Amino acid sequence: MHLDLHFKNQEHIFNIHEEGTPYLSFRAIDDTGMFTNAFSTRLGGVSEGYLSTMNLTFRKAGEKREHVLENYRRLSEAAGFSMDHMVLSNQVHGTDIIEVGEEDIGKGVTREQDYESADGMVTDVPGLTLVTFYADCVPLYFADPVHKAIGLSHSGWRGTVRRIGQRTLSLMEKLYGSDPRDVICCIGPSICRDCFEVGPEVAEAFFEAYPEDWHADIVRGPVLSPSGEEKYHIDLWRANELMLLEAGARKDHIHVTNICTRCNPDILWSHRDAGPMRGNMAAFLSIKNDDRRM
């Protein structure tokens, strides 16, 4: 299956896997040989109707549980994860980040979740796969090859304003001794600045949250819409990059997506493009076992 993606620049950030169930992975994480990572597309699954075909959330109206489970099975088989050892986020556009361990394996897939909110997760358990969900918001991957620890966080505009990426790095440092300078940080497929138009209240949230010398990098505008309203464009990719640099990550360890979800509506789910009538993609990250499975 060929993925005819539109790229914002020509940087070779991703490995593009097109055989069988298609998915993307970050080269920088793959190259360590220590972690497995993936980002799904909207292709290669069995979901039907407005969710066709690779929807990975159980919470959409009309979706069949067996379809979502089959989608997970296909993606897991293609990327090399164990479907039985996943832990799914419970996203509320907040900044709660939880540590998950062996006792949490299967939560969200084969077991009920017992956490009310989790927009980010961290672990140092090999074989356990972290899973978070997207349809324009920013996936943030963190892989520490020194302490063999990982984090995966969902950063919409609210999470970006509230620095969930920095919070994830800080929690990994606290729990596992991770040095931000060692951590590979990847900013995944999400909506680009050109496509992310917002009102003045969102722009103001970024102005208040970030230093003034960041504003020109992050916010463009105002411009008047055809109806005469003030509109701005927000660069979530750059905001997260600056945030991670401030948190101590090395510039050469930060890998920023060049794939916009809204610019690729036939391949990736985009809320801005389709509204609520769409499925969800997922980001996956795990530490490899010697046996590749738990």
Side-chain angles (χ1 to χ4, degrees), residues 120-239:
M121 299 178 290
V122 298
T123 193
D124 64 351
V125 177
L128 185 159
T129 300
L130 306 178
V131 185
T132 52
F133 302 96
Y134 304 92
D136 280 338
C137 292
V138 182
L140 299 177
Y141 297 68
F142 302 92
D144 178 0
V146 176
H147 294 86
K148 295 185 179 180
I150 56 174
L152 189 61
S153 288
H154 159 261
S155 187
W157 74 260
R158 292 177 180 84
T160 301
V161 163
R162 296 173 64 189
R163 298 172 182 253
I164 192 171
Q166 283 188 353
R167 293 169 186 246
T168 308
L169 275 177
S170 294
L171 186 59
M172 290 176 66
E173 184 174 14
K174 176 183 177 181
L175 295 176
Y176 312 124
S178 296
D179 184 333
R181 293 171 296 181
D182 295 326
V183 179
I184 299 167
C185 306
C186 296
I187 298 169
S190 44
I191 196 165
C192 71
R193 182 192 68 196
D194 296 336
C195 292
F196 191 40
E197 184 179 81
V198 301
E201 70 286 351
V202 176
E204 186 61 31
F206 281 86
F207 290 144
E208 292 178 359
Y210 291 134
E212 187 173 351
D213 59 351
W214 293 16
H215 292 177
D217 273 358
I218 296 172
V219 182
R220 296 287 187 271
V223 296
L224 290 180
S225 71
S227 62
E229 298 175 292
E230 279 193 356
K231 295 294 183 180
Y232 295 79
H233 286 84
I234 306 293
D235 192 338
L236 296 175
W237 301 353
R238 182 61 172 158

Side-chain angles (χ1 to χ4, degrees), residues 47-48 51 57-58 60 62-69:
S47 294
E48 300 172 340
L51 298 167
T57 180
F58 293 98
K60 286 291 184 178
E63 180 60 292
K64 297 178 180 178
R65 179 173 177 81
E66 59 266 28
H67 285 174
V68 181
L69 290 173

Side-chain angles (χ1 to χ4, degrees), residues 29 45 54 67 74 78 82 172 187 189 198 200 203 211 215 240 254 269:
I29 299 177
M54 180 59 76
H67 285 174
R74 291 185 179 198
S82 171
M172 290 176 66
I187 298 169
V198 301
H215 292 177
N240 278 286
I254 301 174
W269 294 114

